[in-house]
Amino acid sequence: MKRILSFAFGLLACIAAANAQKLDPIQWTLTSDITKVPAGSSVPLHLKATFQEGWHLYSLTTPKGGPIPTTAELAENPAVKSAKLYQPPPNRQFDKNFNLDTETFEKQVDLPLTANLAPDAKGSVELTANVRYQACNDRQCLPPRKKTAAF
């Protein structure tokens, strides 16, 4: 009987892990209204996340001791001298998953990003944002995930 129960719990754990891997409730895009700029200019970008119903992610400034805060940066590129990421004010509220106050975004978030091009940047440049985040709903949290979005 113990073997059967042990097997059943093991099987349930595998099924739950497989289902968690299939969940992908956050989609990222990187866009800009500007498609041509001279070398040495700044390019305003929008790193946007769109969420499936009921899911949220944590802000860039989420307090320590709880969920994984969202991080994002432009991938290294010789055409980019520097970049700066901003965030709108997050929702601050008690999170029962972590038993503390957290900062979240729900439904969608637009993280403005400014890329300062190098003075010697030439030709067409592809910019890629690297994002790391944790998505949760009111019943579960997914493991931290890394994604990219390109413009």
Side-chain angles (χ1 to χ4, degrees):
M1 183 67 161
K2 285 184 180 181
R3 275 189 177 169
I4 293 172
L5 285 176
S6 178
F7 175 76
F9 284 125
L11 184 61
L12 285 175
C14 289
I15 291 170
N19 283 335
Q21 292 299 322
K22 291 179 187 177
L23 291 175
D24 191 13
I26 312 286
Q27 301 305 313
W28 293 90
T29 58
L30 184 63
T31 62
S32 180
D33 294 332
I34 298 174
T35 56
K36 279 189 170 185
V37 296
S41 297
S42 294
V43 179
L45 300 159
H46 296 276
L47 180 59
K48 296 179 184 177
T50 305
F51 315 163
Q52 289 178 5
E53 185 68 33
W55 289 90
H56 61 267
L57 61 82
Y58 297 93
S59 74
L60 305 171
T61 54
T62 291
K64 291 182 180 183
I68 303 297
T70 299
T71 58
E73 63 185 5
L74 282 182
E76 282 193 38
N77 186 321
V80 178
K81 185 172 105 178
S82 64
K84 178 87 172 153
L85 181 68
Y86 305 90
Q87 77 173 1
N91 301 321
R92 189 171 178 93
Q93 60 192 9
F94 183 77
D95 189 322
K96 66 181 181 180
N97 289 318
F98 296 97
N99 202 30
L100 56 88
D101 285 341
T102 60
E103 296 179 350
T104 61
F105 297 110
E106 298 186 26
K107 296 184 183 178
Q108 65 180 7
V109 65
D110 181 355
L111 302 172
L113 178 65
T114 302
N116 299 307
L117 298 181
D120 60 350
K122 295 178 186 165
S124 181
V125 175
E126 182 173 306
L127 302 175
T128 302
N130 296 320
V131 185
R132 182 174 187 255
Y133 64 97
Q134 183 171 19
C136 297
N137 64 19
D138 61 351
R139 294 182 315 276
Q140 66 179 326
C141 288
L142 301 178
R145 186 170 277 176
K146 292 180 181 178
K147 283 193 178 177
T148 60
F151 171 74

